Amino acid sequence: MSASLSLSSGQSEQGAALCGAISGEERETVEDCAVVVSRENILFPRDRPLKRRTISMQVRRLFCLCCLFMLGVCLTSLYMRKETHFFNAKTKPKSVPVTVVTMNDLDNMLNYKARSAVQTQTDWKAPIMWEGIWEPLDYDRIHTDNKTSVALTVFAVGRYLEAYLETFLVSAEKHFMIGLPVMYYVFTERPDDVPQIDLAPHRYLRVIRVERHSRWQDISMMRMKTISELIDSEMKYLFSHVFCFDVDQRFMGRFGSEALGESVALLHAHYYKLPKNRFTYDRNPKSKAYMEIGDYYYHAAIFGGSWESVKAIADACLASIIEDKQNDVEALWHDESHLNKYFWIHKPSKLLSPEYCWDMSLNRKDIFVTRLIWAPKDYNRLRVPKEETAANKSTAHL
Ligand code: UDP
Ligand code: MN
């Protein structure tokens, strides 16, 4: 361009030649310059159209650059959005770990080593529930999700009704399976005398009249018959689990969903530390409860499980009890002897430590929590007196 500006009017041909020697964009500019020269407008003509052309090209370039830039911005933002979504989708499980725990997993999550001084697992890998090895919230969440519901059976016949029932029920409302639907099935020969208890939502009480057996041993043993019949006629339609309790006890601490299992037995507070040869199994070979050796000594004050398991337990024990009666024998500890035999043959899937039924007169070194305690025994006053059994049985209460 500076060459063009130096041309004079007599130098138009030279200018054209010069233009021809220049190539590309500059050539175009110089050709313009030749046109201007031919119109003899050489003093100041060339720089104006050249300048305009140059500016318009610069504007075009700038426009193209802007378009390219905008396109780049759009593509980058689209890419980033896609990547961000992908990134989030990929990393979400890492940042918020979701552990899917099922009912079957619950007992596998126990911390068996948390209690070194006591046995926390049986030979057949059933857990023994001691304070410290389980996490209450895991059990509660899974059982709530699975809509677990529990039937509790308790017998209060004769003087046991006034002596124990109210304390048992009131304390159960504070500690037994809190958060789950519960029905208390109270069996008595005097339904009208069952105390009124305040019940939390989703907790119910049903009183069922039963015959009063003349012997306390039969009151205790024939519970198996009543439990089996009621599971069949009602409980199995309403409840996933059944727990059977003696009435002469008081809840003191959490007795929750961790205690539920397929079939649940309780370690007897007086025997869990003793060597096996001191277990008081029935040693009479004539009884169906007879056994020489066993795993543990279980306490019949509490047993439970799925309704199917509890029905099987009750049916088997009842059949043995009836067979013994036919053979005119009675097992040493009545239903408890038959229960021990049953659990020797059919291993329970879960054992409750004696925390779940503790005798406060014992040394409590291993017992960090007392969940349920024995009420004071007063057999002489409370059990059916001998002379009463001979009298009119149907009116023989209190
Ligand atoms: N039972 C009852 N009335 C009686 C005897 C027994 O209601 O006259 C019931 C009651 O639920 C009691 C259970 O049967 O808890 C077992 O009897 P007990 O508690 O006397 O036996 P132990 O625990 O002393 O072996
Ligand atoms: Mn008892």
Side-chain angles (χ1 to χ4, degrees):
M1 189 187 290
S2 59
S4 307
L5 285 171
S6 65
L7 289 175
S8 65
S9 59
Q11 291 172 312
S12 61
E13 285 176 17
Q14 276 180 319
L18 178 61
C19 289
I22 301 170
S23 62
E25 193 183 19
E26 273 184 328
R27 180 189 296 158
E28 190 183 77
T29 311
V30 175
E31 278 166 6
D32 282 346
C33 143
V35 171
V36 173
V37 169
S38 68
R39 285 179 193 164
E40 297 180 352
N41 189 10
I42 55 168
L43 285 178
F44 44 105
R46 295 176 319 171
D47 53 343
R48 277 213 178 144
L50 269 176
K51 211 173 200 171
R52 231 180 285 132
R53 176 74 63 96
T54 307
I55 288 169
S56 83
M57 284 181 69
Q58 279 175 347
V59 168
R60 258 187 281 153
R61 264 190 220 151
L62 196 65
F63 179 73
C64 286
L65 277 173
C66 281
C67 286
L68 278 172
F69 177 74
M70 291 301 288
L71 189 67
V73 168
C74 287
L75 287 174
T76 310
S77 100
L78 272 173
Y79 176 75
M80 287 300 286
R81 275 173 64 181
K82 203 173 161 198
E83 278 297 294
T84 308
H85 178 73
F86 181 63
F87 180 76
N88 280 347
K90 267 200 302 194
T91 55
K92 203 170 183 179
K94 278 186 193 159
S95 56
V96 186
V98 178
T99 320
V100 180
V101 181
T102 67
M103 201 97 111
N104 292 338
D105 294 331
L106 275 172
D107 293 342
N108 298 328
M109 291 165 58
L110 295 171
N111 182 4
Y112 290 107
K113 296 200 169 114
R115 296 291 300 270
S116 51
V118 290
Q119 192 190 359
T120 53
Q121 204 170 24
T122 66
D123 290 350
W124 61 95
K125 303 287 176 220
I128 307 175
M129 303 301 278
W130 285 94
E131 168 72 4
I133 75 161
W134 48 272
E135 172 53 57
L137 298 182
D138 288 340
Y139 279 94
D140 288 347
R141 183 165 53 84
I142 297 298
H143 279 285
T144 304
D145 289 353
N146 280 275
K147 306 210 180 312
T148 295
S149 52
V150 185
L152 180 157
T153 70
V154 64
F155 288 69
V157 175
R159 294 173 185 169
Y160 278 57
L161 196 160
E162 283 78 8
Y164 299 121
L165 185 61
E166 184 163 3
T167 303
F168 177 88
L169 291 173
V170 169
S171 64
E173 270 302 274
K174 290 191 189 129
H175 302 293
F176 181 72
M177 302 293 162
I178 300 304
L180 293 180
V182 169
M183 172 87 88
Y184 301 102
Y185 284 90
V186 174
F187 300 94
T188 180
E189 83 285 19
R190 286 179 291 133
D192 294 344
D193 294 342
V194 170
Q196 291 282 324
I197 305 291
D198 289 336
L199 298 169
H202 308 294
R203 300 176 71 102
Y204 312 92
L205 191 146
R206 194 148 135 57
V207 183
I208 293 168
R209 186 191 294 273
V210 289
E211 179 191 352
R212 180 182 180 180
H213 294 281
S214 55
R215 297 170 64 243
W216 65 264
Q217 297 90 336
D218 287 333
I219 294 174
S220 186
M221 285 192 291
M222 296 314 279
R223 289 183 292 176
M224 295 297 187
K225 182 170 188 282
T226 312
I227 290 167
S228 168
E229 286 171 357
L230 213 80
I231 289 175
D232 229 11
S233 65
E234 180 171 319
M235 289 177 193
K236 71 178 181 186
Y237 302 109
L238 303 175
F239 301 98
S240 56
H241 292 75
V242 180
F243 248 108
C244 308
F245 281 79
D246 269 15
V247 73
D248 55 338
Q249 27 201 13
R250 173 200 291 257
F251 290 88
M252 300 287 285
R254 179 189 160 104
F255 195 122
S257 56
E258 77 285 351
L260 297 169
E262 182 52 40
S263 67
V264 182
L266 167 72
L267 291 183
H268 198 297
H270 288 201
Y271 295 89
Y272 80 102
K273 284 265 201 200
L274 293 182
K276 287 185 179 185
N277 61 6
R278 301 211 24 214
F279 293 169
T280 55
Y281 298 133
D282 186 271
R283 310 285 185 194
N284 177 2
K286 289 184 182 155
S287 170
K288 288 290 285 177
Y290 166 80
M291 56 194 284
E292 275 302 326
I293 49 156
D295 305 304
Y296 301 94
Y297 191 81
Y298 302 114
H299 192 176
I302 301 172
F303 62 93
S306 67
W307 70 259
E308 292 94 334
S309 294
V310 177
K311 170 109 172 70
I313 294 166
D315 283 345
C317 289
L318 179 65
S320 299
I321 289 165
I322 289 173
E323 197 171 324
D324 273 7
K325 281 186 179 299
Q326 287 162 351
N327 294 328
D328 210 18
V329 286
E330 194 160 89
L332 178 64
W333 292 114
H334 319 104
D335 43 306
E336 187 164 274
S337 300
H338 292 282
L339 192 69
N340 269 280
K341 179 75 174 278
Y342 182 88
F343 280 137
W344 166 236
I345 299 165
H346 308 91
K347 309 291 188 206
S349 70
K350 178 175 280 185
L351 272 59
L352 302 181
S353 71
E355 292 162 13
Y356 287 83
C357 188
W358 187 244
D359 179 355
M360 294 296 272
S361 68
L362 299 172
N363 175 349
R364 295 169 58 184
K365 202 161 74 65
D366 297 325
I367 307 298
F368 299 170
V369 183
T370 46
R371 307 180 183 284
L372 182 86
I373 57 168
W374 298 20
K377 306 265 183 202
D378 188 359
Y379 294 140
N380 288 340
R381 191 175 68 85
L382 299 175
R383 279 182 174 164
V384 187
K386 282 201 172 69
E387 56 275 20
E388 201 177 333
T389 62
N392 183 346
K393 289 170 193 166
S394 60
T395 56
H397 51 258
L398 289 180

